[in-house]
Amino acid sequence: MGVMGRLKIFVVKEPVVAASCLIAGFGLFLPAVVRPMLDSWETEKNAKTPVELKDVVAGVTGKKA
């Protein structure tokens, strides 16, 4: 019996444990792969400065502060 056969038996016998292993795999994969991708794009350097609250209120109400 190959690895896939044993994996199928494991999933049938222990579905909760198999699901937990799958979730843990995503939890390890995402920070290890996605974070370096985001860092390589250097999105933080291109971030705009936040708008001040008085400018937002003036835009919504139509009145200049």
Side-chain angles (χ1 to χ4, degrees):
M1 181 181 308
V3 174
M4 292 303 292
R6 291 179 189 223
L7 183 61
K8 287 179 185 178
I9 292 172
F10 176 71
V11 171
V12 169
K13 287 186 176 181
E14 300 289 342
V16 175
V17 176
S20 297
C21 291
L22 183 66
I23 293 169
F26 278 114
L28 293 173
F29 169 79
L30 290 177
V33 174
V34 174
R35 187 74 245 174
M37 286 173 50
L38 293 175
D39 290 342
S40 70
W41 293 341
E42 298 179 1
T43 55
E44 294 174 2
K45 292 181 181 177
N46 299 332
K48 296 179 181 177
T49 58
V51 180
E52 292 186 21
L53 182 59
K54 64 180 181 178
D55 296 332
V56 174
V57 172
V60 172
T61 60
K63 300 176 183 176
K64 292 189 177 184

